[in-house]
Amino acid sequence: MNIKRAKNEIKNALRAYLARDEFGAYRIPPIRQRPILLMGPPGIGKTQIMEQIADETHVGLVSYTLTHHTRQSALGLPYIEHQKFGGQEYAVTAYTMSEIIASVYREMERTGVREGILFLDEINCISETLTPMMLQFLQCKTFGNQRLPEGWVVVAAGNPPEYNKSVREFDVVTLDRVKRIDVEEDFAVWKEYAYRRGIHGAILSYLEIRRDHFYRVEATADGMQFVTARGWEDLSELMQTYEALGLPVDRQVVEQYLQLPRVASDFANYLQLYEKYRRVYRVEEILDGTWEKMRASELAGAAFDEKLGVLGLLLARLADSARETYRLDGLTDALHQDLIYVREGEKTLGTLLDEKQAALQRRRAAGSTDKDALFVAARETERLAAFRQSIALEKVPRGQAFERIKALFQADVQARADAAGRTDRQLANVFAFLDAAIPDSQELVLFATELTANFFTSWFIQNFGSDAYYAHNKKLLFDDAQQHLLDEIRQAKQEP
């Protein structure tokens, strides 16, 4: 199955394992809660979905890469203690607490969350000395004489042997005690994720043209050469940061992430074309509605790949604009709830600020990768601090403090409205340009489809509307229905 289906399967298993009956006991006894074994090629997102699942289900998450551990760190260190048996005292070997088990307890203490996921990566690449202990853990959820706390679900991940020479095969006894899920790469699923994560537009438009370059692992005379989903995402992060710093991204940089030379070379060449399209077509002028007629004529006569490249540029910029609106909308909603707490007297501004700062620190300490949520949380604390500072500096009387906060909040409401208006105008301007350049074309249909598929542009249209999008979508749907009818008529005429 693909990684999206695997994520849903794990979430469903988690819900089932943590479900309780009317007496408060787990419906599935812990001994029957099979560890989940997630098997699939490297770099397709196995670790990523565990972070998403924990965040979406509000449970704890402790992750370990087992190739970094020894028998001692997993099992604990031995020591001698004295115990009496049958009236005689004996020296008995005991063990300190396993580092892995201890990390689970530390996470419970840190967050106060009593249930969670213990994720063990590279489970089938462990050392020979650790193998018996790990198999025992998968079967019994114990390291030595220490058991994993109830409410914690074990998920392990590994790679098939064709991807890793260090892989150790599990025996039938172990496999009969796990819930195995085999995962394979799927570009359509990754693309949906990539839109949500804000992957660089050049990568998305390139892979739309070269889908066979999305994921490849090849054995060559020089060793394993590969391109993975993880490589594309990490390259995207670097490209966006390099652009912000004004640093160039050339073939040598690309090859550090895409370790299949012909794909790296091809993408590096495409990057040069992508930048050329940005300059030649003056994308910012298209968005602003100040484009020259010559630009539309140039796109009309361009090759199909060039048209897709330009459409990718326009879609990326529209997604960035819609994402800004999305973030400001989230900020406005959060601040509005804060104002309700203050108005109702449930919390003071100072209490709210302390709570939000602590929550932000916990997100950062947990290594959250949700940039949009982090943005909203950081800006919320900044705005609350600004509200409190403004009241203190202006010496606003206590009875008038809320009215002053509400007035300051209007700046945030206006910022959201300005961002939404800007995105709506850009959508209208882009459609006007495409109508002049490629009216009633398959490329225009593709563009409208991608607007719907992109998380941020789709969210914007659903929440703020877009007359330009609705007009084109209605026309395109009508044209599709008309074409379907014409095809049926032609087919009917051909039948005897």
Side-chain angles (χ1 to χ4, degrees):
M1 65 180 70
N2 60 47
I3 198 72
K4 183 178 180 179
R5 174 67 188 277
K7 175 183 172 181
N8 288 332
E9 288 293 326
I10 295 172
K11 287 179 71 173
N12 289 341
L14 184 66
R15 288 181 59 191
Y17 286 174
L18 300 184
R20 297 177 183 266
D21 61 21
E22 62 272 24
F23 303 107
Y26 288 110
R27 289 182 177 273
I28 301 177
I31 195 172
R32 297 299 177 196
Q33 295 179 9
R34 288 191 172 199
I36 299 168
L37 179 60
L38 196 61
M39 296 294 291
I44 63 172
K46 298 189 292 292
T47 304
Q48 285 281 359
I49 64 168
M50 299 317 305
E51 296 172 359
Q52 296 168 24
I53 291 169
D55 186 57
E56 293 168 14
T57 56
H58 309 291
V59 299
L61 175 65
V62 173
S63 298
Y64 269 92
T65 301
L66 290 176
T67 50
H68 301 164
H69 284 271
T70 64
R71 182 178 184 277
Q72 287 73 24
S73 62
L75 181 62
L77 294 173
Y79 66 93
I80 301 298
E81 67 176 15
H82 292 83
Q83 297 181 8
K84 287 186 176 182
F85 300 104
Q88 292 189 358
E89 186 175 277
Y90 296 90
V92 179
T93 301
Y95 290 88
T96 58
M97 179 172 280
S98 158
E99 180 182 327
I100 297 174
I101 298 291
S103 293
V104 172
Y105 281 107
R106 279 196 295 268
E107 180 69 8
M108 293 165 66
E109 289 293 324
R110 186 182 71 83
T111 64
V113 178
R114 313 306 296 178
E115 298 175 326
I117 301 167
L118 174 59
F119 179 59
L120 305 174
D121 201 6
E122 299 184 10
I123 185 73
N124 56 348
C125 297
I126 53 180
S127 65
E128 185 174 355
T129 57
L130 184 56
T131 298
M133 299 300 100
M134 193 52 57
L135 296 183
Q136 177 198 21
F137 182 74
L138 289 178
Q139 294 176 21
C140 308
K141 297 183 184 177
T142 60
F143 280 124
N145 57 358
Q146 300 155 30
R147 180 175 294 275
L148 185 70
E150 285 193 355
W152 280 76
V153 176
V154 179
V155 181
N159 304 135
E162 60 265 31
Y163 297 103
N164 195 324
K165 295 178 181 179
S166 303
V167 163
R168 296 177 181 277
E169 295 287 348
F170 289 130
D171 56 33
V172 174
V173 174
T174 301
L175 289 175
D176 194 36
R177 286 175 168 81
V178 300
K179 175 182 170 72
R180 176 167 175 157
I181 299 176
D182 290 299
V183 189
E184 60 186 6
E185 67 277 5
D186 187 319
F187 174 69
V189 170
W190 183 81
K191 181 181 172 183
E192 180 182 335
Y193 163 82
Y195 276 145
R196 182 66 180 84
R197 295 285 292 182
I199 297 296
H200 197 287
I203 291 175
L204 288 170
S205 59
Y206 172 77
L207 291 177
E208 195 62 51
I209 301 169
R210 304 279 193 272
R211 292 194 175 202
D212 58 322
H213 288 177
F214 165 60
Y215 193 101
R216 300 188 72 88
V217 178
E218 299 178 0
T220 70
D222 298 322
M224 297 295 285
Q225 296 181 340
F226 53 89
V227 178
T228 68
R230 180 193 295 129
W232 286 114
E233 183 170 1
D234 290 348
L235 177 59
S236 171
E237 293 278 354
L238 184 86
M239 288 170 60
Q240 290 168 342
T241 303
Y242 268 34
E243 286 180 3
L245 298 175
L247 301 174
V249 178
D250 56 19
R251 177 177 174 177
Q252 282 69 37
V253 173
V254 171
E255 285 178 338
Q256 296 164 24
Y257 291 83
L258 309 181
Q259 299 184 45
L260 187 58
R262 60 186 175 82
V263 174
S265 177
D266 193 46
F267 178 66
N269 292 336
Y270 179 81
L271 266 183
Q272 294 180 346
L273 289 174
Y274 191 80
E275 291 304 317
K276 175 187 172 184
Y277 299 155
R278 191 197 304 273
R279 294 191 305 270
V280 169
Y281 289 96
R282 301 179 183 178
V283 170
E284 296 304 318
E285 292 181 3
I286 296 173
L287 294 166
D288 294 339
T290 59
W291 49 274
E292 301 171 350
K293 291 184 179 180
M294 179 176 60
R295 307 298 168 213
S297 299
E298 289 174 344
L299 185 62
F304 181 71
D305 283 4
E306 183 170 333
K307 289 176 181 175
L308 288 186
V310 175
L311 292 179
L313 276 165
L314 294 171
L315 183 65
R317 285 292 290 109
L318 288 171
D320 288 343
S321 185
R323 188 179 194 179
E324 180 185 2
T325 308
Y326 174 85
R327 288 179 167 185
L328 293 178
D329 185 71
L331 173 62
T332 305
D333 286 347
L335 290 173
H336 181 261
Q337 183 60 55
D338 293 339
L339 263 64
I340 291 175
Y341 286 138
V342 174
R343 184 190 65 191
E344 300 299 325
E346 297 181 23
K347 298 178 182 179
T348 66
L349 198 57
T351 300
L352 276 170
L353 179 58
D354 291 342
E355 289 179 356
K356 299 301 179 181
Q357 287 176 334
L360 177 60
Q361 289 174 357
R362 286 196 298 271
R363 277 181 176 272
R364 288 172 172 166
S368 173
T369 57
D370 189 337
K371 292 183 179 180
D372 300 308
L374 287 171
F375 172 88
V376 171
R379 286 294 301 275
E380 183 184 5
T381 58
E382 289 176 6
R383 294 299 292 150
L384 290 174
F387 292 166
R388 188 171 70 169
Q389 184 179 30
S390 178
I391 290 171
L393 291 175
E394 297 173 16
K395 298 181 179 179
V396 178
R398 178 173 296 182
Q400 301 174 19
F402 178 75
E403 291 302 318
R404 179 55 182 151
I405 294 172
K406 192 165 68 172
L408 293 169
F409 173 62
Q410 290 307 309
D412 300 288
V413 175
Q414 187 59 49
R416 176 180 63 178
D418 292 343
R422 184 165 52 252
T423 304
D424 185 54
R425 289 191 298 274
Q426 290 176 347
L427 275 165
N429 292 335
V430 169
F431 272 116
F433 172 76
L434 296 178
D435 281 338
I438 49 174
D440 304 321
S441 64
Q442 60 177 336
E443 292 89 351
L444 186 53
V445 174
L446 177 63
F447 179 75
T449 302
E450 291 303 303
L451 282 176
T452 306
N454 185 287
F455 174 85
F456 294 107
T457 53
S458 177
W459 172 88
F460 178 84
I461 292 167
Q462 290 175 5
N463 288 272
F464 292 91
S466 169
D467 292 340
Y469 171 83
Y470 292 141
H472 284 79
N473 196 42
K474 183 177 180 181
K475 181 178 183 302
L476 291 170
L477 288 174
F478 174 79
D479 289 346
D480 287 346
Q482 184 184 47
Q483 185 62 47
H484 180 69
L485 288 172
L486 288 173
D487 290 342
E488 286 187 347
I489 291 170
R490 292 192 191 97
Q491 184 176 357
K493 286 182 178 180
Q494 293 172 1
E495 292 177 356

